[in-house]
């Protein structure tokens, strides 16, 4: 069949939309079986469509709700028509302007392309961390559920660039938005839990597992696990509001030297606010007499720092602990520091105190959190039934006496009042 005859054939089968429905059915059958076979059922046919079928097959379909056309029936009708020189498979390819290929054959061809791609990948990334972690990288990509070959290739290549570019390899810290811009050109590409953000997090975890550097997943503060993982590879998720305040401490860095800036604040006796990016470079925090006094409230912290009676090492947790606060606790534990913690004497303050006590890996003592301290710090603020209900979560025996007293009196106690009386 010459080109003109092919055009005439396609023009005929494009003259009525029923052929597109029929051919689409045969196309899917071929994709499944790898041969031109099976039966296509056409439903809801218009009179015009029925007449088109009758004209081609030479049979009446009037009065029927549906018509079943087998591949064999169509092949015979085609061979008896003026288009006998064209095979059904060729007709489908001409009609849809696409190569007809079975799913099995397609999977085989795709697998060959994947193998060729991976061979080229290994040549290109030879000697890099991405090549060393190829098995883990492919597992992460597979977990993303990417099915299209081109998207799969792009994701593997993006993952390789991410792995090779993790900031910690060069001893650096980079904000997530900056890293995203470097990798994709879009500073928000890895925000939150979108697909690329999730992909990066899984890669980071694979990297840390490969290097045996996976952070401990705290049951007490589970929300910080993601931040810790990113911090381990040199990526900061949030640093502007993530800081800690300390006074009267000295700091040893990971290279063994003492932090000159903190030394200056130590000598002057001044408090200093330290962001997470700086904390992450430290090895341990050394305190006066091996102990530190941690308070929840900034104003109480400032009061302690001004005390001239004795030089104290102090820290402000400032409410619910941020990751910077937990990292500071780890630095204190690394120096075998004894912690004395004072929090507000209300349900929320007691819960925070219990969490910190359970989290800290060294010696820990509650400080100014006895029944007597509660009596001294009482305010006129009534504690609601809902808040009192949360006291059921207090299980530390050392806090139970003040919990019972609080249930009876149903008022909150605050650090500011307590420390202004001491």
């Amino acid at each position: 069949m010459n080109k003109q005859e092919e055009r005439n054939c396609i023009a005929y089968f494009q003259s009525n939309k029923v052929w597109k429905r029929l051919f689409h059915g045969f196309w899917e059958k071929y994709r499944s079986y790898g041969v031109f076979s099976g039966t296509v059922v056409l439903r809801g046919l218009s009179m015009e469509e029925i007449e088109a079928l009758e004209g081609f097959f030479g049979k009446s379909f009037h009065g029927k709700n549906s018509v079943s056309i087998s591949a064999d029936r169509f092949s015979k009708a085609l061979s008896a028509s003026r288009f006998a020189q064209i095979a059904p498979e060729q007709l489908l390819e001409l009609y849809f302007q696409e190569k007809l290929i079975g799913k099995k054959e397609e999977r085989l061809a795709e697998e060959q392309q994947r193998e060729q791609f991976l061979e080229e990948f290994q040549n290109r990334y030879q000697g890099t961390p991405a090549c060393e972690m190829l098995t883990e990288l492919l597992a992460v990509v597979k977990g993303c559920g990417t099915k299209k070959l081109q998207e799969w290739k792009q994701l593997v290549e993006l993952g390789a660039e991410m792995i090779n570019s993790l900031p910690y390899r060069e001893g650096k810290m980079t904000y997530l938005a900056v890293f995203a811009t470097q990798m994709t050109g879009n500073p928000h590409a890895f925000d939150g839990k979108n697909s690329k953000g999730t992909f990066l997090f899984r890669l980071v975890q694979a990297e840390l597992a490969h290097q045996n550097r996976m952070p401990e997943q705290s049951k007490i503060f589970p929300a910080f696990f993601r931040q810790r993982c990113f911090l381990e590879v040199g990526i900061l998720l949030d640093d502007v509001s993530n800081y800690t305040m300390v006074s009267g401490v000295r700091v040893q860095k990971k290279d063994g030297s003492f932090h000159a800036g903190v030394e200056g604040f130590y000598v002057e006796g001044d408090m200093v606010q330290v962001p997470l990016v700086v904390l992450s470079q430290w090895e341990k925090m050394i305190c006066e007499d091996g102990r530190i006094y941690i308070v929840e409230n900034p104003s109480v912290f400032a009061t302690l720092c001004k005390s001239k009676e004795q030089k104290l090492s102090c820290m402000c947790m400032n409410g619910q602990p941020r990751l910077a606060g937990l990292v500071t606790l780890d630095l204190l534990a690394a120096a075998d520091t004894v912690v004395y913690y004072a929090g507000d004497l209300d349900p929320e303050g007691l819960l925070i105190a219990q969490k910190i006590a359970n989290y800290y890996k060294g010696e820990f003592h509650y400080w100014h959190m006895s029944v007597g301290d509660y009596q001294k710090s009482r305010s006129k603020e009534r504690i609601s039934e809902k808040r009192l209900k949360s006291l059921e979560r207090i299980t530390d025996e050392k806090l139970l006496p003040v919990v019972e007293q609080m249930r009876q009196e149903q008022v909150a106690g605050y650090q500011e009042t307590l420390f202004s009386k001491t």
Side-chain angles (χ1 to χ4, degrees), residues 116-341:
Q116 183 180 350
F117 170 81
L118 291 177
E119 185 177 340
E120 295 171 353
F121 176 94
Q122 288 175 305
N123 290 333
R124 192 190 331 162
Y125 289 98
Q126 187 174 12
T128 69
C131 192
E132 182 183 335
M133 283 187 58
L134 180 56
T135 301
E136 291 94 332
L137 170 58
L138 294 178
V140 172
V141 172
K142 183 178 180 180
C144 293
T146 303
K147 295 181 178 179
K148 293 183 179 179
L149 180 61
Q150 190 57 36
E151 292 179 0
W152 177 84
K153 288 180 179 179
Q154 291 173 352
L155 208 54
V156 171
E157 289 177 335
L158 175 61
E161 293 301 321
M162 287 178 176
I163 290 171
N164 288 340
S165 302
L166 290 174
Y168 87 111
R169 299 194 191 284
E170 298 181 4
K172 296 179 179 178
M173 282 286 174
T174 301
Y175 290 100
L176 181 64
V178 175
F179 186 72
T181 303
Q182 292 171 347
M183 294 295 100
T184 69
N186 178 4
H188 302 293
F190 303 143
D191 285 358
K193 295 182 179 179
N194 62 32
S195 58
K196 280 193 170 66
T198 300
F199 178 56
L200 173 59
F201 183 36
R202 289 175 179 172
L203 278 182
V204 166
Q205 291 181 85
E207 167 72 20
L208 294 174
H210 184 81
Q211 300 292 344
N212 198 27
R213 295 182 53 178
M214 185 72 75
E216 181 181 348
Q217 194 161 2
S218 171
K219 293 180 180 179
I220 304 165
F221 296 104
F224 291 125
F225 178 68
R226 183 170 179 266
Q227 283 182 274
R228 281 191 177 278
C229 287
F230 278 101
L231 191 63
E232 281 290 321
V233 297
I235 298 175
L236 288 161
L237 300 188
D238 173 26
D239 187 50
V240 176
S241 62
N242 212 331
Y243 60 85
T244 191
M245 291 189 291
V246 291
S247 175
V249 301
R250 304 178 68 205
V251 169
Q252 189 174 340
K253 298 190 293 183
K254 290 181 178 180
D255 63 6
S257 63
F258 281 85
H259 192 285
V262 178
E263 285 289 294
F265 280 92
Y266 174 77
V267 171
E268 295 295 328
D270 290 330
M271 65 184 78
V272 57
Q273 180 172 297
V274 189
L276 182 60
V277 64
V278 177
L279 287 168
S280 64
Q281 301 170 33
W282 295 353
E283 184 70 24
K284 60 177 66 174
M285 188 175 288
I286 302 167
C287 301
E288 291 289 326
D289 300 323
R291 63 182 66 185
I292 191 167
Y293 296 87
I294 303 177
V295 293
E296 181 184 337
N297 189 282
S299 61
V300 174
F301 171 72
T303 300
L304 289 176
C305 292
K306 291 177 182 178
S307 174
K308 302 300 181 182
E309 296 179 7
Q310 58 178 323
K311 193 166 187 178
L312 299 175
S313 296
C314 305
M315 172 185 169
C316 180
M317 193 60 74
N318 199 5
Q320 289 287 351
R322 299 182 180 90
L323 180 57
L326 301 186
V327 171
T328 304
L329 289 174
D330 293 341
L331 294 171
L332 293 168
D336 296 322
T337 308
V338 179
V339 166
Y340 293 85
Y341 178 83

